């Protein structure tokens, strides 16, 4: 810990937000690396290659409509909207960081999905006969999922890091994600359709531990910018609503064909509906005069979708989904009211978007709900074949029973937390080094992050238009005079 | 009428918009009730339960892709977007009521869909063998439809009611809707795929009669806020466009598999396209200097989708759809220009969003078009099997003929209007009492609605950020001075 | 050329933006014409008519899910969103032309799709047995595609033309498009799934040649309005992201069922991801202080989707897609930095949205990539059946070989450019006359376009709300005073 502390002081030199060389270099070099790796490793799978016709006949598939594309493409597009519009606009609530919120979200998602296709491909889709990764629509969905973990982490450090740091954060995040996912889903054989553990718990704690590493004691110097204006809150609602509406697609995108996708969508739909009501209730109850707080409406209403992620494909039952949503709305909103200030004051974790309340805590709840629901499964509820299909009790796991599956689910949750908080819990091994390493690297002044009094400001990395000054909101008759004024004032400003 | 009048005076006590107890209480209690009712009544149907595998084999269904989920999920998601983003953002046009528009829309839709699943389930999806409601994707779509009726009603009272009143309005609205829908679709056997009658006519007149009950004679005290600003109009266009684009999904979401969904989408697409042109024409023609009015573009362009709702699945023919859209664009825009001011002045109906022009009138037109199209149906056009499939001439209605079906359609329209204007037409029976009752209840001062000079203002129910004051739009050199100023002015304000 | 020049002078009379008669007349008359033409020509095809049941049995189709509706409807809705929200909001970046951007985009798309259904129907879907055009979901997608060509052209003249001119531009554009598309796809037998040539190259050069015809030497008089404000840039990002996310649907919407749609979506997804990184790199590298420019992020990030359009359904391979995206991000961003100013200064082409960089150039690249990929096709890669399916080597083209197909692709690209720049290249024939004619017509003062000092201003064609003046951002205590002030200032303004 001491070495980290002294390292910190070493890094607190003069900040310079110029990324003119570092950002283009990172983008060009990494994109070139992607092209080379894709050239070596990535090919179409049998459902997206022109040999599909032959494959179809060989497998006796009666129609093109049974191509996996038609099962998953609508869900994929919904997930895609969540990643780019949902996460992007959810973070536009800051008054002067909307460009950064949407733009950097766009950048790191576009990079992350390529790296995720490779990392996840090596673990899950490698064809050992020719050493190639064979991709189809399911890989694209999984890549988007993987990116979601990093975007969650971005939420914790929003406004405080440079785009170059974000690229590094994403590179490490995706790598950790793929390893963690492989351990949880393949080795431990936990099920996690909507990624409560794999995506949200991991992403949440990963972001929080990065934020802890990058603690800025004088961040209040930027406090004038760390809030919203009226229209930025409306923009953020675009993000909230697209996340909320498409969450059923998120949780059902990679579940089993047929009843699996159907049930996951229903459960998520219900959990989210319940969350809205309890969020509104708690937000009003704990506020002076009972006024609602936009921060809660924008974020906590989504907690139910996170928490139902793991159990969405199980027989959680409609009322079970409502109960999960009910609790999460309360927990998440209380988190915003009490926990976020507490964590900033006493734990040195500055969590800009409150991802602990929206992702980390509900993710843990989701993992627990998943473990309980799995342990309670029985043939009388699922049917014999249904039980096998739902939990994949096949191959080397054909002797698995629900109670043991519940244990495996719990183990998966622990792995997700460990990977996320790696740096904090000092758990030994490569993941600690990874998170610590990435945390340390991100403090180096070469990365172009902003000074404490310059955070949450698009001016640092974007050409920002001059607002209002040349706005034509004047009666017609003095237009010319006004333009002269503007020209003069522009001149004056340039003189300074 | 006299008793209503005196009741009104009774209610005109000092208004207090504090909902700190009532809103949380309503949300928590009702959500708890939902959980209990769901626990008692709601289960998965055979297509969303793990027994689907067995069901599939028993019914000899060849592939998972024939699960109803894959027929309807893309349409469901489009409808979902219409409900939350479409209706929500359409109402953001007011300069200072965007939080209320999007946020309360979100709240009542999330509550409404749960109550709708129950109410519609009891009428339509009750499995008499075990007394449970079995839900699947079609139930979710129908719940969203049901909610749409209440959101339409919200449009009439936008900015003038408290969230608690809205919850009550929704509770009664959903209940009335389910009864009305059961009468129209099941008892009368009218067809109404896109809900011209069931959703739009009912929702429109329900909202208008509520608005009439809640008439505010001194509403002009809030006139400074009852208008738009530039960016709020652009936000509203997000709502307009998502409604417009996804309306084909709305009208085709629960029509017959195959040609039914296909034809409904085509008809709606065409009707909406024609509406845009006539709306622009009338808006320009009736305005000074031919300038277009954003209110018309935001609302009247959608009228064609409403009016084609009932007949969308019939053989309306492509040119028939265009004609319907053509007329509705004109009628709806003229409604905004002449009828809305007339109704406010002479009929004491203050219709904030003009739902009479967008939903009620086009809904009635849609009912009439549906009746005519049904009456004109023939085997030569539909084919023998096509006629039976399209109009469900099966079971107890197997002897029905198109001309009589036309009569049933007209009867359905009358029922929708009666249920909607219940309170006004004094039609006897439970529905009158319901609407009156709900209307009266909504005037009680305990509900926390705003005073006449405080309507259309988010300040009443939301923590609204201070705009612009701390905006960093100043040259770099005087940043510190400015911050000092701001701090001082904040201090001054707190002193007051 | 001389005659054009003198014709220009003739047209430079006093401008009058009143469109009160011309706009309604055009809308009503053309919409009426559409109804008549639809009545004469347009019918449902066998998949959208009630005879589908009989057709299904006759063709031995096992399930309703094999109706083309279920293969293409999700993609159709995505394309629909791109046309109305994507193109519409992408153009809202101007500080005071957001109404015009979204509203006129809405108007011309709604008209264009009707005319496109007819024009494309005559060329592609005419049933010679009864002289009717039979439409289904694929026709709707193609109509949206056709409209996209005209919306691209709108981008070049954004803010400088009246809605009446836009309607004329659309009428001619759709007509030219349908002819060009018929020549390229049917006569030349080039493949162009995502329309790199047919849509983007044609639309781009069509718009640029119109813009050249309408050159305004004194446009700098409107320069105060030819820029963005902070929130208008965020609105534009809504357009960008919906275009970016749904581009895989655009390129795969009308490709072959099964692997064709699957592969096109994957290729587009990858190309777009790579474009984002190189766009960010070049934008930062060529800017002072390395700050990113929103213009590049909003536009150039989409270039990869354009350029991969033709080859998306071929075996471009995942790394091939990345390479195409990589190059296009660089080319397009450099175009914005160097080429657009150059074209305005030396070539008299004022390209408001920079469509040359986003559509024309990447479209040409896409055509070339398509030709190369087609020429390099082989049975070893595609399989025997795959090759025939992918390139439609059937019927009269059953003896085609890949290398010759490559030649045909190149020929198709030339045709697209010729049709686009018709007026400029002085190529003989009807298309020259058409573009010239439409260009000349658009300069007539009867069309109501704005004067040079009044461009990019919604005031010309829209009722624009008075911003901010009555904004309630004041402490509660002086509300009344303020309102009095406002009332007085309003009074003063009216006196003037």
């Amino acid at each position: 810990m001491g070495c980290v502390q002294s390292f910190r002081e070493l890094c607190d030199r003069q900040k310079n937000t110029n990324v003119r060389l570092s950002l283009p270099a990172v983008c060009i070099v990494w994109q070139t690396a992607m092209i080379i790796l894709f050239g070596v490793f990535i090919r179409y799978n049998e459902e997206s290659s022109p040999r599909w016709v032959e494959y179809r006949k060989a497998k006796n598939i009666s129609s093109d409509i049974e191509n996996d594309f038609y099962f998953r493409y609508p869900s994929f597009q919904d997930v895609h909207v969540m990643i780019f519009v949902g996460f992007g606009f959810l973070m536009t609530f800051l008054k002067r960081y909307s460009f950064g919120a949407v733009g950097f979200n766009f950048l790191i998602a576009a990079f992350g999905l390529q790296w995720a296709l490779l990392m996840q491909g090596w673990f899950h889709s490698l064809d050992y006969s020719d050493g190639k990764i064979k991709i189809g629509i399911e890989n694209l969905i999984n890549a988007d999922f993987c990116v979601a973990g990093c975007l969650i982490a971005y939420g914790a450090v929003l406004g405080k890091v440079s785009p170059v740091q974000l690229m590094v954060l994403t590179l490490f995040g995706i790598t950790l994600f793929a390893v963690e996912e492989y351990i949880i889903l393949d080795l431990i054989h936990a099920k996690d359709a909507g990624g409560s553990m794999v995506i949200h718990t991991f992403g949440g704690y990963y972001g929080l531990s990065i934020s802890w590493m990058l603690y800025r004691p004088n961040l209040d110097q930027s406090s004038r910018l760390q809030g919203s204006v009226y229209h930025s809150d409306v923009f953020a609602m675009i993000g909230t609503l697209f996340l909320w509406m498409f969450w059923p697609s998120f949780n059902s995108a990679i579940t089993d064909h047929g009843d699996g996708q159907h049930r996951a969508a229903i459960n998520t739909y219900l959990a989210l509906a319940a969350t809205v009501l309890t969020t509104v209730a708690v937000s009003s109850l704990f506020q002076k005069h009972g006024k609602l707080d936009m921060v809660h409406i924008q974020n906590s209403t989504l907690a139910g979708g996170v928490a139902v992620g793991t159990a969405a494909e199980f027989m959680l039952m409609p009322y079970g989904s409502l109960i999960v949503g009910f609790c999460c709305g309360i927990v998440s909103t209380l988190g915003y009211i009490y926990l976020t200030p507490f964590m900033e004051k006493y734990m040195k974790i500055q969590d800009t978007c409150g991802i602990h309340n929206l992702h980390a805590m509900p993710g843990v709840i989701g993992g627990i709900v998943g473990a309980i629901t799995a342990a309670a499964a029985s043939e009388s509820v699922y049917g014999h074949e249904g039980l096998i299909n739902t939990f994949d009790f096949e191959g080397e796991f054909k002797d698995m029973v629900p109670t043991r599956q519940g244990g495996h689910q719990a183990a998966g949750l622990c792995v997700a937390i460990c990977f996320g908080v790696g740096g904090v819990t000092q758990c030994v091994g490569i993941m600690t080094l990874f998170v610590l390493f990435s945390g340390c690297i991100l403090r180096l002044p070469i990365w172009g992050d902003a000074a404490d009094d310059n955070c949450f400001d698009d001016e640092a990395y974007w050409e920002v238009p001059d607002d209002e000054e040349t706005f034509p909101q004047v009666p017609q008759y003095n237009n010319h005079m006004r333009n002269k004024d503007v020209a003069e004032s522009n001149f004056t400003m340039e003189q300074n």
Side-chain angles (χ1 to χ4, degrees), chain A:
Chain A
M1 233 49 257
C3 98
V4 173
Q5 209 58 33
S6 63
F7 188 80
R8 265 185 195 166
E9 280 146 29
L10 183 78
C11 301
D12 282 347
R13 275 178 278 159
Q14 184 62 42
K15 302 278 188 180
N16 178 353
T17 60
N18 192 328
V19 290
R20 190 172 176 186
L21 288 179
S22 52
L23 182 59
V26 166
C27 289
I28 296 285
V29 171
W30 292 11
Q31 185 58 56
T32 309
M34 287 302 125
I35 292 175
I36 295 166
L37 289 168
F38 269 60
V40 176
F41 287 106
I42 303 229
R43 298 291 178 271
Y44 305 111
N45 72 9
E46 67 278 354
E47 298 193 290
S48 57
S49 92
R51 295 190 185 278
W52 159 250
V53 196
E54 294 157 21
Y55 177 83
R56 222 187 81 191
K57 284 178 187 160
K59 294 271 178 179
N60 207 14
I61 295 167
S62 68
S63 162
D64 278 332
I65 197 86
E66 294 184 51
N67 190 307
D68 197 36
F69 182 79
Y70 301 103
F71 285 92
R72 306 210 184 275
Y73 191 71
S75 307
F76 160 67
Q77 273 298 2
D78 294 349
V79 171
H80 218 40
V81 171
M82 292 174 74
I83 298 297
F84 289 90
V85 163
F87 280 103
F89 274 85
L90 185 62
M91 298 191 287
T92 55
F93 70 98
L94 288 171
K95 64 180 82 168
R96 292 304 276 188
Y97 207 72
S98 302
F99 290 7
V102 173
F104 294 151
N105 183 80
F106 194 15
L107 171 65
I108 62 179
F111 165 67
L113 61 86
Q114 298 177 54
W115 182 229
L117 277 175
L118 284 163
M119 283 300 300
Q120 293 184 314
W122 284 318
F123 280 117
H124 296 285
S125 309
L126 200 59
D127 181 343
Y128 290 99
S129 68
D130 59 1
K132 306 293 185 194
I133 299 163
K134 302 289 169 68
I135 62 169
I137 189 71
E138 197 169 332
N139 298 71
L140 305 194
I141 298 172
N142 273 312
D144 273 15
F145 278 6
C146 193
V147 163
C150 293
L151 299 182
I152 291 166
Y154 178 30
V157 296
L158 180 73
K160 299 177 293 186
V161 292
S162 79
V164 181
Q165 285 177 306
L166 283 174
M167 292 290 284
V168 175
L169 181 155
T170 305
L171 180 75
F172 284 117
I174 300 281
T175 312
L176 279 169
F177 183 100
V179 176
E180 167 236 31
E181 186 192 42
Y182 177 71
I183 295 172
I184 295 175
L185 302 189
D186 289 45
L187 300 187
I188 297 180
H189 192 260
K191 300 281 291 177
D192 197 8
S196 295
M197 306 182 286
V198 172
I199 299 168
H200 297 284
T201 305
F202 164 74
Y205 287 111
Y206 178 63
L208 292 170
S209 70
I210 298 278
S211 186
W212 177 81
M213 294 297 299
L214 298 173
Y215 179 66
R216 288 167 178 271
N218 303 315
L219 191 62
D220 54 352
Q221 291 174 4
S222 292
S223 65
R224 75 191 183 285
L225 291 168
Q226 204 182 359
S228 62
V229 289
Y230 195 71
H231 281 156
S232 72
D233 268 331
V234 182
F235 277 119
M237 280 305 289
I238 296 175
T240 300
L241 288 176
F242 275 103
L243 285 170
W244 195 92
M245 296 179 305
F246 288 161
W247 216 293
S249 300
F250 192 92
N251 285 349
S252 70
I254 54 164
T255 51
D256 284 345
H257 290 176
D259 65 288
Q261 291 195 281
H262 205 148
R263 192 165 54 253
I266 293 174
N267 285 334
T268 312
Y269 173 90
L270 292 173
L272 286 162
T275 311
V276 175
L277 273 89
T278 50
T279 299
V280 167
V282 175
S283 179
S284 175
L285 196 62
F286 285 77
Q287 219 76 19
K288 218 166 44 178
H289 306 303
K291 292 189 182 184
L292 298 167
D293 191 327
M294 259 294 171
V295 172
H296 309 153
I297 307 299
Q298 281 159 12
N299 293 282
S300 297
T301 50
L302 302 168
V306 174
V308 89
T310 302
E313 59 179 330
F314 304 158
M315 285 296 276
L316 182 58
M317 306 310 288
Y319 66 89
S321 308
L322 290 182
I323 293 171
V324 171
F326 187 95
C327 300
C328 280
I330 294 172
V331 168
S332 174
T333 315
L334 290 177
Y336 276 97
I337 297 171
Y338 295 115
L339 215 52
T340 302
F342 177 86
M343 283 168 64
E344 176 153 2
K345 200 163 173 188
Y346 298 105
M347 297 173 68
K348 300 196 171 178
I349 297 175
Q350 292 154 331
D351 181 2
T352 312
C353 293
I355 60 162
H356 187 252
N357 314 305
L358 171 48
H359 297 283
M361 276 197 303
V364 172
I365 294 173
I368 296 166
V369 170
I372 295 169
T373 318
S378 69
E379 276 200 16
S380 68
V381 174
Y382 287 76
H384 180 68
E385 276 193 87
L387 195 64
I388 293 171
N389 281 347
T390 306
F391 293 99
D392 283 335
F393 290 161
E394 290 163 323
E396 57 173 314
F397 294 98
K398 73 175 191 295
D399 298 326
M400 198 84 154
V401 290
T403 44
R404 238 184 85 206
Q405 177 69 29
H408 284 227
Q409 295 288 136
L413 179 59
C414 297
V415 172
I417 296 174
C418 289
F419 266 81
V421 295
V424 180
T425 57
Q426 302 288 330
C427 74
V428 283
I430 182 92
M431 62 197 171
T432 320
L433 283 171
F434 251 53
V435 172
L436 257 178
F437 184 61
S438 67
C440 294
I441 281 180
L442 298 185
R443 291 192 62 80
L444 293 178
I446 56 162
W447 295 123
D449 55 326
D452 285 352
D453 62 348
N454 207 20
C455 286
F456 313 116
D457 194 350
D458 274 334
E459 284 284 353
Y461 307 110
W462 298 87
E463 298 282 344
V464 177
D466 291 337
D467 261 25
E468 317 299 329
E469 283 160 281
T470 54
F471 222 76
Q473 265 312 333
V474 282
Q476 213 62 30
Y477 54 87
N478 66 356
N479 235 350
H480 288 283
M481 191 190 72
R482 187 180 153 83
N483 286 338
K484 202 168 120 261
D485 284 0
V486 168
E488 271 172 13
S489 75
N490 281 343
F491 178 72
T492 319
M493 278 161 70
E494 276 162 22
Q495 300 268 314
N496 280 286

